[in-house]
Amino acid sequence: MLLPLTQVLVATAILLTVVAGGYALFDRLIGNVVLGLAALVELGVVIQLVRGLAGISSLDGTEPKATFTAYLVTLPFVLAITVWSAIKDKTRWAMASIAVGSFAVAVMTLRLQQIWDLHA
């Protein structure tokens, strides 16, 4: 795992959480700013996926490998599915779901880095 990429990814996901929360608060529909931030987060998550799968053999033990792999493989789907459903839904709750999804991405990314730092 790349620590600088993790830090940028978490910061961007938190920024997306704040922006999407603001959109939900003011009852705005999804826009280019939200889609652009979501695309940046998704790109970072895919890069982490490739990097993590390439280096998974350096983890010690089977339990950390299983947990790491589960987080790593499911992470790209969290925000993608959330944004896709928000495009279909035209309510305030669509933006709130993007805020929750991007916060989940930030937390899961930090957990991936934690597992990597402890067991690699």
Side-chain angles (χ1 to χ4, degrees):
M1 298 296 293
L2 303 170
L3 182 60
L5 179 60
T6 299
Q7 292 168 340
V8 169
L9 185 57
V10 169
T12 309
I14 295 297
L15 178 62
L16 178 58
T17 300
V18 170
V19 170
Y23 272 47
L25 183 66
F26 294 111
D27 203 17
R28 293 183 58 190
L29 295 176
I30 192 167
N32 291 338
V33 173
V34 173
L35 289 175
L37 285 172
L40 284 175
V41 171
E42 196 65 29
L43 177 65
V45 165
V46 170
I47 292 170
Q48 287 282 55
L49 172 68
V50 171
R51 174 67 178 108
L53 289 176
I56 201 163
S57 62
S58 56
L59 290 175
D60 298 329
T62 57
E63 185 179 330
K65 281 183 185 179
T67 305
F68 184 79
T69 304
Y71 275 107
L72 195 63
V73 171
T74 58
L75 193 56
F77 297 104
V78 173
L79 193 58
I81 291 171
T82 306
V83 170
W84 182 77
S85 67
I87 290 172
K88 297 292 182 184
D89 189 11
K90 300 296 184 211
T91 65
R92 146 186 310 202
W93 299 111
M95 296 311 299
S97 69
I98 289 179
V100 170
S102 61
F103 184 73
V105 167
V107 170
M108 290 172 73
T109 302
L110 287 173
R111 181 66 179 132
L112 278 171
Q113 188 66 46
Q114 183 184 32
I115 293 169
W116 185 266
D117 290 342
L118 289 174
H119 300 285

